[in-house]
Amino acid sequence: ARVQARQLAEQALALDDNLAEAHAALGRISLQEWDWEGAERAFRRAIDANPNYGVARVWYATYLFCMKRFDQAAEQAERAQRLEPTALYVNTMAGMAYLLAGHVDRARATWQRVIDLASRYMAESYLKERNYDQVIVILERALTHTPREPLTLAALAHSYARAGRREEALKLTQDRVRREASGEAQPPFAAIWAYVGLQEYDEAFARMEKAAAARRARLPW
C-alpha cells in the first residue's frame, strides 16, 4: 500500500509540484518507512506550499515527537488545532503531542474535546431523524464533562425546543445571550442553532447574515 501511495503522490507532484496534500502524503509514507530526513523534508515542503493545511502540521508533529523534539511537536499541534478546531483526527493527534511533551492536563482537555465533538456529531445524526429524546440524552451526558461548551449547549437548546420543552430551551438561550453581552466570546452558530430550534427565524437569519459578512468558516455547512 505504501508503494502504491508513493507512486500516486509522485504522479500528483509531477502534475503540480505545489500540492501540499501530495507532499504531506510523501512525508507520512517516509515516516512509516523510517526515512527521517525524507519525512521532515516532505512535511516542511507541504507546510510551505499551504501553511493552513492542518493535517500536514499534525503529521509533522508526529514526526517531531518521534524525534523527541517534543516542544516543537506541541507547537505544530497547536497550530493544527487553530486551523482545524473541529477535526477529530487533528485533535486526537494533537493530544498525543501534548502528552509526550509533558502537558498532561492539556492532552486530557484536547481529548475531552474529541469526545464532545463526536457526541455532538452523533447527536446531529439523531436530529436528522427528529429523535429529540435521544439527542437530549447524548448532549446532557456530554455536558457533564464540559458544562459550558457553547455549541453543545446550543444544540441542547435546539433539541429542548423541538421536543416541546420550550422553557428549558429559553433558559439556555437567554443564559447564552447574557454571556455574549458580558463580552464572553461565543461562536455565532451557537445562537443560530438555538433560535432555529425556538422557531425565532428572524433572529436566526439576522445572525446568519452577520456570520456571512464576517466569512465565518462554518457558514457553508
Side-chain angles (χ1 to χ4, degrees):
R2 284 199 296 267
V3 170
Q4 186 177 18
R6 180 178 289 279
Q7 289 173 345
L8 291 170
E10 289 173 347
Q11 287 173 22
L13 292 173
L15 296 170
D16 182 352
D17 189 50
N18 205 40
L19 291 174
E21 295 86 351
H23 284 293
L26 285 179
R28 184 72 171 173
I29 296 160
S30 297
L31 180 59
Q32 293 174 344
E33 294 174 343
W34 295 17
D35 174 8
W36 312 124
E37 292 182 3
E40 181 161 28
R41 184 168 55 250
F43 287 137
R44 285 184 174 276
R45 184 69 182 82
I47 291 168
D48 287 343
N50 182 1
N52 296 322
Y53 184 30
V55 171
R57 288 190 179 276
V58 84
W59 278 353
Y60 186 32
T62 66
Y63 162 84
L64 290 167
F65 65 61
C66 286
M67 299 294 101
K68 301 184 181 180
R69 293 157 60 182
F70 299 118
D71 290 342
Q72 291 175 278
E75 179 185 353
Q76 289 297 327
E78 183 178 16
R79 291 186 181 185
Q81 279 188 291
R82 287 202 301 266
L83 292 167
E84 302 193 39
T86 62
L88 297 178
Y89 178 78
V90 167
N91 281 281
T92 299
M93 298 311 297
M96 180 60 71
Y98 297 142
L99 180 69
L100 294 175
H103 308 309
V104 177
D105 289 343
R106 192 173 185 184
R108 287 175 178 157
T110 298
W111 285 328
Q112 185 58 58
R113 178 173 178 76
V114 174
I115 294 170
D116 293 341
L117 286 167
S119 296
R120 199 158 65 240
Y121 295 151
M122 179 67 76
E124 286 183 23
S125 73
Y126 284 105
L127 275 175
K128 293 290 186 184
E129 300 173 340
R130 302 185 180 183
N131 187 345
Y132 302 116
D133 291 338
Q134 186 61 38
V135 174
I136 289 167
V137 168
I138 293 170
L139 295 176
E140 287 181 338
R141 185 186 305 129
L143 286 168
T144 61
H145 302 288
T146 50
R148 293 175 64 84
E149 207 291 310
L151 290 171
T152 305
L153 284 167
L156 183 58
H158 178 104
S159 302
Y160 278 156
R162 294 298 191 183
R165 297 163 62 175
R166 186 173 179 83
E167 290 302 316
E168 292 168 275
L170 281 170
K171 183 178 179 181
L172 287 178
T173 304
Q174 290 164 357
D175 179 64
R176 199 213 62 76
V177 170
R178 283 193 295 271
R179 289 162 60 184
E180 184 180 55
S182 71
E184 183 176 336
Q186 293 283 320
F189 282 84
I192 292 168
W193 282 346
Y195 285 119
V196 169
L198 289 162
Q199 298 184 30
E200 296 184 12
Y201 298 124
D202 288 345
E203 182 67 25
F205 273 109
R207 288 173 178 269
M208 288 181 70
E209 292 285 358
K210 187 176 179 180
R215 296 293 190 268
R216 299 297 297 223
R218 189 178 290 267
L219 187 63
W221 298 0

